[in-house]
Amino acid sequence: MRHETAQVFVHERAAAGDIARALQAHAQALPGVRRAEVGCNLEGSWGAGDCTLDLLVDDGAPACAAAVAGLAELPGIARIDHASCAAIDGGLREPGLRDGVWRTLMFRVRAQASDAQVAALERELLQMPAYMRGIRNWRLSRVTSPGPWTHVWQQEFAQVGDLLGEYLMHPFHWGWVDRRFDVECPDWTVEAISHAFCPLASSLLTEAAG
């Protein structure tokens, strides 16, 4: 099963909820889509859109890039920033998670970054769940579609405090991994990010792994 993700930018933030519902209905009707999930991004998201869209698509279905681009023609949508995800690795700690929080970090590594730097970054991100029990399920992917991003790092949390508290404030995060995102550090690897989080009815990553 393929996983497609996108950040959706709307013309009027106040109407994001209505637009999200219409978008989910249209996305669910696309050929081969097994599950479409649209959530309004919560306060604290930055460098991101107003909503997060995720599609779980059958492997034999047509490519989604054109279909997702077509969703941008729906009323109220300004643009859609789409990425096709090819999983590197991930894990499930709470497969039955419900009523949680879905976090999507899309990022772009620097063209000047060495293969060793990129591999180290990927390895360190995948080490984070070992230090942070609040990360219930997770997956790191490379982006295979054209666009501004090279990677997508996704996590599922039981509550928003686990993201804004333990995850963002953990010493392994700000004391180790963050150096890859710091332009003043010799290990600087990532030059742009999009950080979004929204409500999640039930685990996407569990279904994607099925």
Side-chain angles (χ1 to χ4, degrees), residues 82-105:
H82 161 259
S84 297
C85 304
I88 300 171
D89 203 353
L92 299 174
R93 184 174 280 150
E94 189 175 343
L97 178 70
R98 300 188 66 85
D99 299 321
V101 174
W102 175 240
R103 191 278 183 119
T104 303
L105 178 72

Side-chain angles (χ1 to χ4, degrees), residues 85-152:
C85 304
I88 300 171
D89 203 353
L92 299 174
R93 184 174 280 150
E94 189 175 343
L97 178 70
R98 300 188 66 85
D99 299 321
V101 174
W102 175 240
R103 191 278 183 119
T104 303
L105 178 72
M106 299 198 291
F107 64 87
R108 180 175 70 249
V109 299
R110 303 170 60 227
Q112 299 88 345
S114 67
D115 291 344
Q117 285 178 310
V118 175
L121 168 66
E122 294 171 346
R123 183 171 60 251
E124 290 163 7
L125 289 173
L126 288 166
Q127 289 173 342
M128 295 180 82
Y131 295 92
M132 304 169 198
R133 296 294 299 177
I135 302 175
R136 308 312 298 162
N137 305 310
W138 62 94
R139 185 177 63 182
L140 178 63
S141 303
R142 297 188 183 100
V143 174
T144 59
S145 54
W149 310 110
T150 60
H151 292 72
V152 180

Side-chain angles (χ1 to χ4, degrees), residues 139-208:
R139 185 177 63 182
L140 178 63
S141 303
R142 297 188 183 100
V143 174
T144 59
S145 54
W149 310 110
T150 60
H151 292 72
V152 180
W153 173 224
Q154 297 161 311
Q155 309 93 47
E156 296 175 347
F157 298 87
Q159 58 184 356
V160 72
D162 292 334
L163 168 62
L164 300 182
E166 181 192 51
Y167 182 92
L168 292 182
M169 301 304 295
H170 196 283
F172 185 77
H173 186 183
W174 55 259
W176 186 250
V177 176
D178 268 8
R179 79 193 197 284
R180 302 286 180 187
F181 298 78
D182 186 349
V183 300
E184 297 182 351
C185 180
D187 293 323
W188 178 36
T189 308
V190 176
E191 63 181 1
I193 68 171
S194 167
H195 160 64
F197 57 102
C198 63
L200 179 66
S202 62
S203 174
L204 272 165
L205 294 179
T206 301
E207 194 166 346

